[in-house]
Amino acid sequence: MQDDATILNDTLDRLLSARVTPGLLRAAEEGTWPGALWQELVGLGLTEIFRGMSDRPWRDAAVVMRMAGRHALPLPLPETILASALLPEEEFDPLEPIAIIAWEEGEEAAWPWPDQVRRAIGISRDGTAHWLAREGEIGAPARSLTREPRHAARVKRGFSSGADARLLAALMRAAQMAGAIERVLALTVEHARTRVQFGKAISAFQAVQHQLAVLAGNAAAAAASVDAAFARQDRSEMPVRGGMAVRDTMAERDMMVAKIHAGEAAGLGAAIAHQLHGAIGFTDEHTLHFYTRRLWSWRAQFGNESEWARELGRTICAAGADSLWLAIATRD
Amino acid sequence: MQALSFEPCELGPETDVLRARIRAFIAEHVEGLPPELRAQSWSAADPEFSAKLGAAGFIGMTWPRHYGGHAMSALERYVVLEELLAAGAPVGAHWIADRQSGPLLMRFGTRAQCERVLPPITRGELFCCIGMSEPDTGSDLAGVSARAVRSGDGWCVNGTKLWTSGAQVSHYMIALLRTSTESKHGGLTQFLIDMKTPGITVRPIRDLSGAAHFNEVVFEDVWLPADAIIGKEGEGWNQVTAELAYERSGPERFLSSFRLLVELVRVLGQNPDARAAVAIGRLAAHLITLRRMSLAVAAKLALGEDPALEAAIVKDLGAVFEQEIPEIAAALVPVEPSLDHPRAFERVLAQVIMIAPSFSLRGGTREILRGIIARGLGLR
Ligand SMILES: Cc1cc2nc3c(=O)[nH]c(=O)nc-3n(C[C@H](O)[C@H](O)[C@H](O)COP(=O)(O)OP(=O)(O)OC[C@H]3O[C@@H](n4cnc5c(N)ncnc54)[C@H](O)[C@@H]3O)c2cc1C
């Protein structure tokens, strides 16, 4: 990681450690918008990464998205940053939170934070991005496992782009998952070193050590695939703003790979973490579930592992057996 | 908890020329080989192939020119290795000499040892084997009991090395021997042993696939000159552990069953059903990521860092991946594996099913690797 990305990473880690307390998380899940924190994050310029604030905006966006995952940040900051990359310059206001949601033409939307978030990018299964504004009364709750306040809502559609925005949204979730998995690993290592049974820390048991080694390996693979996909976005010549007119197939490949790895590591990592935490990790009081619930939810959003694996597999098979290696052995 | 890092690593444009060169070599010398032989990849030793590869300049690529090397970068070498492995080239004869014996000698050996051994390695004419394991010494490697005792102005060796891959074609063994019983780890020393020395008996051991790649090597009063020592007396353990990052993170740690994946894609056809497409996409994703992680370790090694923990992670994940391929292939294509079948898929499947158990044993077992990772996490 370059120096300025490291600084951003560490600054944000310290800030979010201090601000995103279990208390704040619980309040947010009960519907209290952490407005002061939103102001503070916007004040740092984080929603302006794609507006000339950074020479490698995707790398910096990845840092913020991972940190948001690591701290289970209950604000649509990753979404707003991605929206800033997708929307035409004149449509974007860095102070305004924007959601990114799954949405199909003619349907109601599951709209997060309906009192605070007025506009969203709705992404349909075919990858089209629609610029949406919320209309009328707020409907019934439609919460996900993240417990982010979300309600059914009617929307007014603005322009649509033919872009494949769905993969970018999938990559955003992959980055958040990579961050949350890192946190789950750290919590579980800490727990294993401090929980004593049979007269010793449970980390002394080899069965426990090996479970954690598996978790660490999968966490590392998820992080590596996410970093690579973001690094490629910065190198890609294809603009995403206003829609990816020309497709960058390598960038698409790497985004799929990232979502597949992060999703797999999410399932496996959450299972291992809960197993090693024992009953305490199954309680509402413990903080582990703030991360594992998000992992279960993000894993399914904007295409789960098997959906993207099917897509990638079809491309590979269509190219034929003798082209398989060519698709793997790229220079970057 | 040690910080893990796998920095994205790009190969430079200069590697394109090299990749084209090695692909041309492969088209000429590998593509005509039978698929079941290609499925054995780096287990299969073919001295003639190694000589051709050496003559073409693809062995000892990173070594200095005065030792016959080609002064290229570690990442350039990586490109050549991965192409050879993906194609299933029979690289087994020179593999160990190129991967670890040469680098070990340059790091710890004398100039005379290097001058004697390295140039013929780069020509693909001199092969090395690793004598670490013994009948009673596997994972607990520091338990080595084959002994070297001072005798005249040299050493006298007695004992048995086991599972020594390629000993029957090798000219030298790099052996880990006990030179003192006073300290378990501190009593070990590495030796460069000429396999023609009187008193050495090599007995090939057939493995379950019917091949005999590994051997028992018995030493009976084998006299070695004083200059057979590599590095310092009593430093064997430290030297061996320095070798391991090289041994554990290369592309051979996730490409061992790649030929089966190729044949699997071939039989599934260009328009597979959803279940097959999911499986292929997932395996491709894992392969792409393992390669990235392995390249990141290669880049660290080239900078002189010691990414032992990262290397253990690559090998652990790589072995899981390599062993999944035959499982998935067998689940998707319900045929009986057979070495005589007219179609390549059945033959390659048969071969890979049989060698797959070794993927998580050789070079450090899964359990030992996970122990290393756990230590890196601060658990032990
Ligand atoms: C194909 C092949 C090629 C090889 N080539 C070479 C070679 O060229 N040179 C060479 O020196 N050796 C070679 N080996 C040997 C290889 O290094 C050993 O097989 C390996 O180190 C394991 O030793 P072992 O087989 O004696 O198993 P053991 O050490 O007896 O292990 C048996 C089982 O017990 C487990 N176990 C052992 N200790 C622990 C522990 N502390 N905690 C948890 N589980 C444990 C192991 O993980 C394994 O599952 C080769 C092996 C194979 C299969």
Side-chain angles (χ1 to χ4, degrees):
Chain A
M1 218 183 270
Q2 303 285 307
D3 269 353
D4 40 353
T6 312
I7 293 169
L8 176 62
N9 185 78
D10 297 352
T11 310
L12 215 48
D13 198 17
R14 272 197 304 276
L15 178 74
L16 296 180
S17 299
R19 299 286 188 274
V20 187
T21 58
L24 180 133
L25 278 166
R26 282 178 215 285
E29 292 184 354
E30 277 152 26
T32 308
W33 169 257
L37 182 55
W38 175 259
Q39 296 301 337
E40 193 171 3
L41 294 168
V42 165
L44 292 174
L46 296 178
T47 54
E48 295 181 79
I49 287 173
F50 281 97
R51 300 179 23 124
M53 289 281 290
S54 164
D55 57 336
R56 286 178 60 190
W58 288 101
R59 178 201 60 191
D60 292 352
V63 169
V64 179
M65 291 172 182
R66 262 170 86 161
M67 271 301 146
R70 185 178 168 78
H71 294 277
L73 177 67
L75 281 167
L77 179 65
E79 289 85 346
T80 304
I81 291 173
L82 180 58
S84 77
L86 289 168
L87 289 171
E89 200 75 53
E90 66 278 8
E91 289 287 340
F92 182 72
D93 166 6
L95 302 180
E96 178 193 347
I98 297 174
I100 294 190
I101 60 178
W103 181 72
E104 301 301 325
E105 188 84 59
E107 292 181 4
E108 283 199 322
W111 196 283
W113 297 107
D115 289 328
Q116 289 78 19
V117 175
R118 292 187 313 281
R119 300 194 296 167
I121 294 177
I123 298 179
S124 53
R125 294 186 70 81
D126 68 5
T128 319
H130 309 275
W131 190 211
L132 307 176
R134 195 176 70 70
E135 276 196 323
E137 295 295 299
I138 296 170
R143 283 182 306 169
S144 71
L145 299 182
T146 66
R147 292 190 200 144
E148 178 184 59
R150 215 168 61 162
H151 291 262
R154 279 184 294 118
V155 301
K156 186 159 78 70
R157 181 166 71 80
F159 63 85
S160 298
S161 79
D164 199 354
R166 194 158 184 253
L167 262 180
L168 289 168
L171 179 60
M172 165 181 74
R173 288 292 186 253
Q176 291 172 280
M177 283 193 275
I181 294 164
E182 265 165 30
R183 183 58 169 273
V184 160
L185 172 64
L187 285 171
T188 312
V189 166
E190 182 57 26
H191 180 75
R193 292 173 58 173
T194 46
R195 171 69 175 168
V196 174
Q197 286 296 287
F198 300 96
K200 48 190 167 188
I202 59 168
S203 64
F205 300 115
Q206 203 178 50
V208 170
Q209 293 172 1
H210 288 194
Q211 289 288 300
L212 275 163
V214 171
L215 173 47
N218 280 273
S225 65
V226 164
D227 286 347
F230 277 94
R232 188 185 292 284
Q233 285 296 327
D234 273 325
R235 288 195 306 275
S236 175
E237 315 263 284
M238 312 296 169
V240 297
R241 192 182 299 283
M244 287 186 286
V246 190
R247 292 173 57 181
D248 178 339
T249 53
M250 290 312 296
E252 290 183 5
R253 180 198 76 166
D254 285 353
M255 289 191 274
M256 292 181 200
V257 168
K259 187 66 163 61
I260 294 168
H261 262 293
E264 273 187 29
L268 188 83
I272 291 174
H274 278 293
Q275 184 61 26
L276 297 186
H277 271 82
I280 190 74
F282 191 57
T283 61
D284 176 62
E285 186 192 347
H286 198 277
T287 57
L288 181 61
H289 64 80
F290 288 117
Y291 313 98
T292 55
R293 280 188 288 104
R294 280 170 174 75
L295 287 172
W296 293 322
S297 185
W298 291 338
R299 179 184 189 186
Q301 291 178 344
F302 308 114
N304 67 7
E305 303 94 86
S306 44
E307 207 177 331
W308 289 121
R310 189 181 61 215
E311 190 79 20
L312 183 60
R314 283 193 174 140
T315 316
I316 282 175
C317 291
D322 295 319
S323 300
L324 170 60
W325 178 243
L326 306 182
I328 307 290
T330 52
R331 275 208 271 113
D332 53 9
Chain B
M1 192 167 134
Q2 201 173 317
L4 275 173
S5 82
F6 295 91
E7 304 273 322
C9 154
E10 281 175 56
L11 298 170
E14 71 283 359
T15 58
D16 286 346
V17 181
L18 191 62
R19 202 182 284 281
R21 267 180 59 208
I22 186 70
R23 282 186 181 167
F25 182 92
I26 287 166
E28 192 182 338
H29 299 289
V30 180
E31 274 166 19
L33 299 175
E36 59 278 21
L37 175 68
R38 293 171 71 183
Q40 295 183 31
S41 184
W42 60 290
S43 307
D46 177 349
E48 274 176 43
F49 177 85
S50 294
K52 282 186 219 150
L53 194 68
F58 293 120
I59 302 180
M61 291 178 62
T62 59
W63 306 354
R65 294 193 190 280
H66 59 264
Y67 289 144
H70 304 283
M72 290 193 173
S73 73
L75 294 179
E76 287 173 302
R77 172 170 177 267
Y78 194 99
V79 165
V80 168
L81 295 193
E82 68 172 0
E83 289 291 330
L84 288 167
L85 292 165
V91 292
H94 68 275
W95 192 256
I96 286 167
D98 180 54
R99 176 182 72 190
Q100 70 198 94
S101 312
L104 178 91
L105 287 173
M106 281 187 281
R107 186 154 169 199
F108 299 111
T110 62
R111 188 159 180 113
Q113 286 169 336
C114 289
E115 279 168 355
R116 176 155 42 107
V117 175
L118 299 189
I121 291 181
T122 65
R123 295 194 297 269
E125 294 167 4
L126 187 152
F127 311 128
C128 298
C129 56
I130 306 171
M132 295 190 192
S133 307
E134 299 180 359
D136 293 325
T137 298
S139 299
D140 187 8
L141 183 59
V144 155
S145 67
R147 291 208 61 180
V149 181
R150 281 191 190 279
S151 146
D153 52 358
W155 298 84
C156 179
V157 180
N158 279 287
T160 301
K161 290 293 174 184
L162 199 58
W163 319 126
T164 319
S165 297
Q168 67 273 62
V169 295
S170 293
H171 304 87
Y172 285 89
M173 173 190 279
I174 294 190
L176 184 65
L177 300 175
R178 180 151 301 286
T179 43
S180 154
T181 47
E182 264 154 45
S183 145
K184 185 175 175 186
H185 293 82
L188 298 172
T189 305
Q190 281 187 303
F191 287 85
L192 178 65
I193 302 178
D194 185 337
M195 293 296 280
K196 290 192 303 294
T197 317
I200 301 179
T201 314
V202 176
R203 290 195 201 99
I205 302 171
R206 235 180 215 287
D207 65 32
L208 69 83
S209 78
H213 297 309
F214 53 26
N215 300 270
E216 180 192 53
V217 183
V218 178
F219 295 84
E220 285 164 305
D221 292 329
V222 175
W223 190 83
L224 303 178
D227 67 0
I229 278 201
I230 302 172
K232 290 205 191 73
E233 186 180 343
E235 281 295 308
W237 180 255
N238 295 333
Q239 294 176 196
V240 160
T241 44
E243 252 178 281
L244 291 178
Y246 287 94
E247 193 181 331
R248 287 185 173 154
S249 62
E252 74 270 34
R253 296 307 180 187
F254 57 90
L255 286 173
S256 304
S257 38
F258 182 72
R259 295 311 306 171
L260 178 58
L261 187 55
V262 173
E263 295 309 322
L264 176 61
V265 171
R266 203 184 310 285
V267 299
L268 292 174
Q270 286 177 290
N271 194 11
D273 65 21
R275 172 167 163 258
V278 170
I280 295 299
R282 178 178 168 274
L283 288 173
H286 279 243
L287 180 51
I288 288 165
T289 302
L290 279 164
R291 176 173 178 264
R292 286 196 188 296
M293 296 172 86
S294 160
L295 268 167
V297 176
K300 281 198 167 179
L301 283 171
L303 290 174
E305 294 175 33
D306 176 22
L309 175 59
E310 283 87 350
I313 286 181
V314 171
K315 184 172 183 312
D316 182 38
L317 294 175
V320 170
F321 170 76
E322 292 178 329
Q323 290 177 336
E324 259 177 354
I325 293 176
E327 281 297 306
I328 290 168
L332 289 177
V333 187
V335 296
E336 187 180 341
S338 160
L339 288 168
D340 306 311
H341 200 276
R343 189 165 67 166
F345 177 77
E346 280 78 354
R347 303 207 299 277
V348 171
L349 179 63
Q351 186 64 43
V352 173
I353 285 176
M354 288 191 293
I355 62 175
S358 70
F359 301 162
S360 52
L361 296 173
R362 62 186 184 188
T365 70
R366 170 169 295 139
E367 289 71 24
I368 293 304
L369 293 169
R370 290 186 179 168
I372 292 170
I373 300 167
R375 180 170 293 128
L377 292 172
L379 299 171
R380 50 188 287 248

